[in-house]
Amino acid sequence: MDNQKTFYKSVITIALPVTLQSLLQSSFSVIDQIMIGKLGSSSIAGIGLAAKFSSMYSVILSAVAAVTGIMVSQYIGKKDEKEAGRSFYVNLFLAAAFSIVFSVACFCFPEYIMSFYTKDIVTRQAAAGYLRIIAFSFMPLAASMVCSAMLRCLDAAKYPLYATIVSVILNTCLNYVLIFGKAGIPEMGVNGAAFATVISQAVSFLLILFFMGKTVKRKIKLVFVLRFNGNRRKQYLKILLPIIACEFFWSLGENIYTAIYGNTGTDPCAAMMLTIPLQTLLIGALSGFSQAAGVIIGKSLGSREYNRAYKESVKIMFYALCGSILLSVILLLSGRYYVQIYNTSKGIKETAFHILVVFALVSPVKVQNMVLGGGILRSGGKTKYIMWIDFMGTWLFGVPLGCLGAFVLNLGIPYVYLLLSLEECVRLAVSLVLFKKKYWMQSLE
């Protein structure tokens, strides 16, 4: 009974703040999208395409943060503070290195990068200007994500939530002021949205840094160590490299999907971009289960309670499935009302609704992949399994099917989206086989 209470308490303590954090970010993204929507379809598509490329960086950061969570949660389970500290600092420095690479690329070559996404000159210029400015947000975002992962492992997931509340409110207010030129500030349009992102991200980082210092003093002695010995280095690379490769190639595949959408025309691309905030909102509503799974299962594996880890995994997957089905039903009932809030043509709204219907059908599978692949199977450190599953799903199924639908069969964008989304079913089938065979269950040495 005590273990049962501890489990539910851990799920709530981690999952609820993460879920609220994702919901806040996504809901304010909807508001931002409405503001940007008043600037026209080229601005909607431009910001959407630029955000899609920058999401490749965010995904790689998420991989580094995931490695942080895997290692720190297991070492906390073992009560090994030195290795927990080493895991945190090494991943923090790695995230900073990635931020430098992407910042330079986005600041120096934005036009060249965006040329891969769209042939529309106006859309490409809007996207390039946005990308050049948000490059300045990459460094604070890197530090925020790794520190947030550490805070969740210390059962302090509420602090990243607090930082997010301040950040998204500030971002929304600044968007209104800078995009439309309020309070005596010149109208900046798309660039105003980018500056709002940079400022709010910097404020979020400062808040998380404050909470980090406050929490670490109370809960753990965070030893500053960067050097690994031979065995530790090998173990770290075995965890890190597959997950980095996995997230990079998955994100690259997602960007190819976006390039496919962009080359079907500005209006179909704009319709897809209108749905992204709502898609993110629904997935974000259940993302807490993935984060909770990684930390809770990681700690159980670290203390070698394998049977407990497996049973807890099944419970988390079941709760996530129930939640995803409920949200899909709500989306099917409310999708038409959502698309009406945008100031776009009737054709774009209708296309966007059809895309939402497809998303509602596949989202339960997406959520299971997020929880199973993004949380449970990774918690044991055998990240190469997820690398091969994602690679197979994206590159052997998703990308070829998307290209077939768009460029050979000339299908409409909702059908292209449905076709390439079938890769989610392939990933889930393989993941379930691995889960049941328990190959992923191990304790880090």
Side-chain angles (χ1 to χ4, degrees):
M1 182 62 72
D2 288 340
N3 286 341
Q4 191 85 334
K5 289 181 179 179
T6 301
F7 168 72
Y8 288 120
K9 181 179 179 181
S10 296
V11 170
I12 293 172
T13 302
I14 300 170
L16 186 59
V18 172
T19 296
L20 291 175
Q21 185 177 349
S22 296
L23 286 173
L24 280 168
Q25 289 172 326
S26 302
S27 61
F28 277 90
S29 293
V30 172
I31 297 172
D32 292 349
Q33 192 76 285
I34 294 170
M35 294 182 193
I36 294 162
K38 296 182 181 297
L39 302 178
S41 60
S42 292
S43 295
I44 295 172
I47 289 183
L49 293 176
K52 201 65 180 180
F53 176 77
S54 65
S55 72
M56 189 183 298
Y57 167 69
S58 297
V59 164
I60 291 176
L61 278 189
S62 296
V64 177
V67 173
T68 306
I70 290 168
M71 300 181 74
V72 171
S73 63
Q74 285 228 14
Y75 287 127
I76 288 177
K78 292 177 180 293
K79 304 187 185 305
D80 190 336
E81 294 185 340
K82 180 180 178 181
E83 290 303 324
R86 191 202 309 269
S87 301
F88 169 73
Y89 284 114
V90 168
N91 285 298
L92 181 63
F93 274 76
L94 180 63
F98 278 121
S99 74
I100 293 171
V101 173
F102 273 86
S103 296
V104 171
C106 291
F107 185 78
C108 297
F109 312 108
E111 284 268 4
Y112 179 74
I113 292 170
M114 286 298 104
S115 67
F116 289 97
Y117 289 82
T118 179
K119 297 174 184 176
D120 188 297
I121 296 175
V122 176
T123 300
R124 188 165 67 235
Q125 288 176 341
Y130 182 86
L131 198 61
R132 179 177 282 114
I133 296 169
I134 64 167
F136 291 98
S137 71
F138 288 172
M139 181 65 81
L141 178 61
S144 295
M145 290 186 73
V146 176
C147 289
S148 293
M150 183 68 181
L151 286 169
R152 291 181 189 117
C153 291
L154 296 174
D155 298 323
K158 62 183 180 181
Y159 293 133
L161 170 63
Y162 297 160
T164 298
I165 291 173
V166 174
S167 176
V168 294
I169 293 174
L170 178 62
N171 183 62
T172 301
C173 294
L174 288 174
N175 267 339
Y176 177 72
V177 171
L178 299 178
I179 291 174
F180 303 115
K182 304 297 181 179
I185 295 175
E187 183 178 329
M188 301 172 71
V190 169
N191 289 347
F195 280 117
T197 297
V198 173
I199 295 170
S200 60
Q201 194 58 247
V203 171
S204 177
F205 162 66
L206 292 174
L207 287 172
I208 287 176
L209 191 63
F210 169 75
F211 290 132
M212 183 75 180
K214 178 181 176 182
T215 304
V216 166
K217 287 181 180 179
R218 290 189 294 107
K219 296 203 171 187
I220 190 173
K221 184 179 180 182
L222 203 58
V223 182
F224 182 80
V225 185
L226 288 177
R227 190 177 297 245
F228 282 121
N229 61 31
N231 291 333
R232 294 289 189 192
R233 187 184 303 113
K234 183 178 179 181
Q235 182 186 68
Y236 176 64
L237 292 176
K238 283 179 68 176
I239 296 173
L240 174 70
L241 294 181
I243 202 169
I244 289 287
C246 166
E247 296 294 347
F248 175 78
F249 283 110
W250 174 82
S251 180
L252 184 61
E254 288 290 309
N255 276 265
I256 290 177
Y257 296 161
T258 303
I260 292 171
Y261 304 146
N263 282 282
T264 60
T266 299
D267 284 357
C269 181
M272 174 59 75
M273 296 309 157
L274 287 183
T275 70
I276 297 299
L278 192 57
Q279 291 189 37
T280 306
L281 183 68
L282 266 67
I283 295 296
L286 299 168
S287 62
F289 285 111
S290 178
Q291 297 286 341
V295 174
I296 294 169
I297 308 306
K299 288 181 179 179
S300 294
L301 294 176
S303 58
R304 300 182 184 275
E305 297 180 82
Y306 298 124
N307 188 50
R308 176 181 174 183
Y310 188 83
K311 289 181 178 179
E312 290 173 341
S313 298
V314 172
K315 289 179 183 178
I316 293 174
M317 289 166 59
F318 176 73
Y319 299 149
L321 177 62
C322 293
S324 62
I325 292 173
L326 175 62
L327 291 179
S328 287
V329 172
I330 293 173
L331 177 59
L332 289 171
L333 295 175
S334 61
R336 284 202 179 275
Y337 299 104
Y338 170 78
V339 299
Q340 294 303 320
I341 64 179
Y342 291 101
N343 184 26
T344 58
S345 68
K346 183 178 179 180
I348 292 177
K349 291 178 181 178
E350 191 66 20
T351 302
F353 172 69
H354 291 154
I355 293 170
L356 289 177
V357 171
V358 175
F359 174 74
L361 296 175
V362 300
S363 63
V365 181
K366 284 179 176 286
V367 169
Q368 285 299 297
N369 280 327
M370 175 181 67
V371 174
L372 187 55
I376 294 169
L377 297 183
R378 284 178 176 172
S379 62
K382 292 189 176 181
T383 53
K384 65 180 180 180
Y385 292 147
I386 304 303
M387 178 186 72
W388 289 115
I389 291 170
D390 283 357
F391 186 88
M392 178 179 65
T394 300
W395 294 97
L396 298 185
F397 290 90
V399 171
L401 288 174
C403 291
L404 174 68
F407 305 126
V408 178
L409 301 178
N410 296 314
L411 300 175
I413 197 167
Y415 298 102
V416 173
Y417 181 49
L418 175 62
L419 200 58
L420 62 83
S421 293
L422 294 177
E423 59 100 0
E424 295 281 355
C425 300
V426 175
R427 289 170 55 206
L428 180 59
V430 178
S431 296
L432 285 172
V433 171
L434 286 175
F435 174 74
K436 290 181 179 179
K437 289 186 177 295
K438 303 182 181 180
Y439 293 145
W440 53 278
M441 300 177 71
Q442 73 167 5
S443 175
L444 299 181
E445 298 300 329

